[in-house]
Amino acid sequence: MLEVKNLDVHFGVIHALKGVSLTVNDGDIVTLIGANGAGKTTTLRTISGLKKPTNGEILLDGKDITHTSAQDRVKMGISHVPEGRRVFPTMTVLENLELGAFLRRDKDEIAKDLKKVYELFPILADRRKQLAGTLSGGEQQMLAMGRALMSRPKILFLDEPSMGLAPLFVQEIFNIIKNINSTGTTILLVEQNAKMALQIADYAYVIETGSIVLSGTGKELMESEDIKKAYLGG
Amino acid sequence: MKGILEKNWVKGLISLILTFGIVQVLISTNIINDYLQSTLATICINIILAVSLNLITGFTGQFSLGHAGFMSIGAYVCALITLNNRTIPGFILGVFAGAIVAAIVGFLVGLPTLRLKGDYLAIATLGMAEIIRIIFTNLDSITNGPAGLQDIPQFTNWPWLFLYTAGTIIIISNFIRSSHGRACISIREDEIASEAMGINSTKNKVTAFTIGAFFAGIAGALYASTFNFINPKIFDFSKSINILVIVVLGGLGSISGSVIAAIVLEIINTYLQSFADIQMILYSLLLVIIMIFRPQGLMGSKEISFSVFGKLSSLFAPKKGRV
């Protein structure tokens, strides 16, 4: 479904991504793990169009989208939950969710999707009139995910969904990710919590200082000695 | 839902008519005398300026210090047109031509500068306004340079001022309630997230900036026509700051706040004229005190219904949602 070939990204003179290539198959959960500053977020942001690559190709369903605007990529089915949640704090939960469907004009279908999001995250239904900035971190993460689902994506990008959350919430968020995936949404997940990510991933890539150094199924990587040492704590 | 909306619409219309009628009566009975009429005109002009700047700074979150620049464009264009065509159609043409030229300049300036953020944008817009002012100062043959334009025909009166002011408020508040407005607010809240939602932030920022410039142009045109005289110095840096003060004082992201602040500040200003020596000290002191006790502005980001009358009538009715 998604194919990234030899992506190069620069921030000024800093060469942040050095020829990153990865493939995400339809219906999979694919995870990208790595340390701080390895280039995980940059990879996601480049694929969703928030950052321009200096080189390389991005293909969605075989179509070259390297030079497509971020708006058009949302229309084509890419939805991005940015790092740190980034909900709109002085808007209500409902307004946040409505903005997720900003590019859509099919009101009936939007209402249906809103219902689905409320089913997936019942807490959001309870708090629909509350300002998003007053939600807890875990609730904000759910809102950010719900908001991203409102564009009815084919592929959902999740950037560090477990960041800063209580362990109990982390487990819940990962259950929900599996849940979303089981309804047919492909997922590209960026995580520092490598253990959790590898457990649910069909395929995984390890990124180090801007290059993919290892890839394999979630299970394979979990058993790899290098990964155990570097990311799984023994 | 529809019923409530219609009711609010009717309530808004009634309060507009009432506001217009009461002030009209006060003018014809000379309770609002000639002196107070110029205060009234200043209030209307300041409302238009503040509401349009609020769209840019309060709702879209783009810190602009160049509003006086757009105002001066409206003022000069309208003045030049009415000086050559001293008729009511000439005046209407002048106001709209001024607004359109201001909007075009706003668009051209906004396109490159709105990529900047925060302080950088403030400095760029400030520079832009200064450039406009210096152009007007040096275009001697057209603008009469630093001496300015005199004897501009006066067409503004209460009905005109009211029409433009109410029109500005209605158009901008409708824009804010539209999906474009929602997009602008989301850009203020979090630009990266709004882009991830598929909102074109540059396009929406430039749109808000252009609309803001358009209405600043209208305000400038009304200024020229009310006070018969303009020169470049009127539209200097401190004018932009004064508009910003109204917006911040009323509450960033509150149209009713801007309206109330414009009225309150001008009334305070008028009455402080009697203490000419310490007028600015008292005025500044008041601003400091208000900002200490209401740092979010008089209204915060909340709105009240169309006018005080709507508010009063709702006191007697069972509680409903805000307008």
Side-chain angles (χ1 to χ4, degrees):
Chain A
M1 144 168 271
L2 178 74
E3 215 176 325
V4 175
K5 291 179 188 163
N6 292 317
L7 211 54
D8 275 302
V9 175
H10 289 82
F11 290 99
V13 291
I14 297 163
H15 198 169
L17 293 189
K18 301 161 191 160
V20 168
S21 298
L22 54 87
T23 308
V24 181
N25 289 324
D26 220 345
D28 275 2
I29 298 181
V30 173
T31 181
L32 185 61
I33 57 175
N36 267 341
K40 306 185 296 291
T41 298
T42 306
T43 308
L44 278 197
R45 295 188 53 172
T46 310
I47 305 174
S48 64
L50 299 177
K51 174 86 192 123
K52 285 196 172 40
T54 35
N55 238 323
E57 252 187 316
I58 304 164
L59 304 173
L60 182 68
D61 291 328
K63 223 177 131 196
D64 189 351
I65 58 162
T66 319
H67 303 289
T68 313
S69 68
Q71 295 80 258
D72 288 337
R73 293 188 209 193
V74 176
K75 274 188 202 152
M76 292 166 89
I78 293 180
S79 192
H80 186 172
V81 181
E83 186 178 10
R85 307 183 267 275
R86 292 184 175 270
V87 295
F88 303 120
T90 69
M91 291 188 185
T92 65
V93 168
L94 178 61
E95 284 170 336
N96 267 274
L97 292 174
E98 282 171 351
L99 268 168
F102 185 76
L103 292 174
R104 293 171 60 183
R105 294 288 171 264
D106 44 343
K107 276 195 176 154
D108 299 341
E109 294 297 306
I110 292 175
K112 267 188 216 164
D113 283 352
L114 187 64
K115 228 174 123 192
K116 269 191 215 157
V117 168
Y118 282 155
E119 273 163 25
L120 197 59
F121 308 102
I123 187 88
L124 296 184
D126 298 341
R127 312 209 159 193
R128 70 185 88 186
K129 296 221 167 124
Q130 202 171 317
L131 294 186
T134 65
L135 300 179
S136 76
E139 289 162 358
Q140 287 190 12
Q141 183 60 47
M142 290 179 185
L143 177 57
M145 286 163 72
R147 185 180 63 181
L149 287 173
M150 289 298 291
S151 68
R152 198 176 274 190
K154 285 190 254 175
I155 181 163
L156 182 65
F157 292 179
L158 296 166
D159 196 346
E160 303 271 7
S162 75
M163 191 172 70
L165 298 187
L168 213 62
F169 255 128
V170 173
Q171 186 58 53
E172 200 176 336
I173 291 284
F174 276 91
N175 289 341
I176 291 166
I177 294 172
K178 270 199 283 191
N179 220 331
I180 294 170
N181 178 246
S182 68
T183 61
T185 311
T186 309
I187 285 173
L188 178 55
L189 168 69
V190 154
E191 258 298 342
Q192 278 196 39
N193 190 335
K195 196 173 171 188
M196 294 289 283
L198 290 176
Q199 272 171 8
I200 64 163
D202 295 301
Y203 204 82
Y205 292 89
V206 181
I207 187 167
E208 255 172 39
T209 56
S211 311
I212 302 281
V213 291
L214 203 65
S215 68
T217 63
K219 220 170 159 196
E220 278 168 15
L221 291 196
M222 290 262 277
E223 281 155 13
S224 139
E225 284 305 317
D226 290 345
I227 296 292
K228 273 189 194 166
K229 237 190 237 156
Y231 298 103
L232 303 177
Chain B
M1 185 70 200
K2 210 180 167 196
I4 293 175
L5 271 177
E6 274 173 6
K7 257 190 191 160
N8 278 335
W9 187 79
V10 172
K11 214 198 258 175
L13 191 70
I14 292 171
S15 51
L16 281 177
I17 294 169
L18 273 176
T19 312
F20 177 74
I22 289 172
V23 175
Q24 186 64 49
V25 168
L26 289 176
I27 291 171
S28 49
T29 53
N30 213 22
I31 293 173
I32 296 183
N33 54 26
D34 283 353
Y35 175 62
L36 285 180
Q37 272 193 50
S38 82
T39 304
L40 184 67
T42 309
I43 288 177
C44 288
I45 292 165
N46 282 348
I47 288 176
I48 298 174
L49 289 168
V51 169
S52 56
L53 182 63
N54 208 339
L55 172 64
I56 299 171
T57 302
F59 289 96
T60 318
Q62 306 305 308
F63 192 31
S64 167
L65 282 179
H67 225 50
F70 299 127
M71 184 189 178
S72 69
I73 293 173
Y76 269 95
V77 170
C78 179
L80 289 169
I81 288 177
T82 48
L83 278 171
N84 290 306
N85 182 356
R86 297 171 173 265
T87 59
I88 294 272
F91 168 61
I92 296 171
L93 175 75
V95 172
F96 282 99
I100 288 166
V101 176
I104 292 170
V105 174
F107 176 79
L108 293 177
V109 169
L111 222 45
T113 55
L114 286 169
R115 290 168 200 283
L116 303 171
K117 294 195 166 73
D119 327 355
Y120 303 106
L121 177 65
I123 291 167
T125 48
L126 170 67
M128 179 274 308
E130 284 299 291
I131 290 169
I132 293 173
R133 188 173 67 84
I134 288 163
I135 289 174
F136 282 136
T137 312
N138 289 299
L139 267 181
D140 279 353
S141 55
I142 304 170
T143 64
N144 198 22
L149 296 170
Q150 279 120 34
D151 193 28
I152 301 162
Q154 184 180 5
F155 289 104
T156 49
N157 49 20
W158 169 240
W160 277 119
L161 288 167
F162 180 81
L163 193 72
Y164 284 117
T165 310
T168 305
I169 296 171
I170 290 168
I171 291 171
I172 291 188
S173 42
N174 275 321
F175 176 82
I176 285 158
R177 268 183 249 139
S178 74
S179 73
H180 293 288
R182 199 64 89 69
C184 289
I185 297 171
S186 76
I187 291 167
R188 172 193 74 192
E189 298 274 287
D190 195 314
E191 194 167 338
I192 290 177
S194 66
E195 284 205 43
M197 298 298 103
I199 291 164
N200 185 336
S201 69
T202 307
K203 190 182 116 194
N204 279 290
K205 283 194 284 187
V206 173
T207 308
F209 202 68
T210 308
I211 295 175
F214 180 89
F215 286 104
I218 287 191
L222 295 180
Y223 183 93
S225 183
T226 305
F227 296 100
N228 311 76
F229 163 76
I230 50 172
N231 72 16
K233 266 203 103 161
I234 296 170
F235 309 104
D236 66 356
F237 173 54
S238 65
K239 183 75 200 169
S240 292
I241 296 285
N242 283 335
I243 306 167
L244 189 67
V245 165
I246 300 174
V247 174
V248 173
L249 195 80
L252 288 161
S254 168
I255 290 188
S256 28
S258 291
V259 174
I260 292 169
I263 296 171
V264 169
L265 283 186
E266 192 51 35
I267 290 176
I268 291 175
N269 234 339
T270 304
Y271 283 97
L272 284 181
Q273 305 277 350
S274 350
F275 312 95
D277 293 345
I278 50 168
Q279 183 194 352
M280 279 326 284
I281 299 176
L282 288 177
Y283 184 77
S284 315
L285 202 65
L286 261 169
L287 288 183
V288 171
I289 290 169
I290 296 176
M291 286 332 284
I292 286 173
F293 289 102
R294 292 289 296 176
Q296 71 277 51
L298 292 172
M299 294 295 298
S301 60
K302 295 195 169 53
E303 298 287 357
I304 57 160
S305 38
F306 249 95
S307 80
V308 187
F309 308 108
K311 182 83 180 171
L312 280 176
S313 68
S314 71
L315 284 179
F316 302 102
K319 216 156 178 68
K320 286 191 202 96
R322 65 173 197 204
V323 177

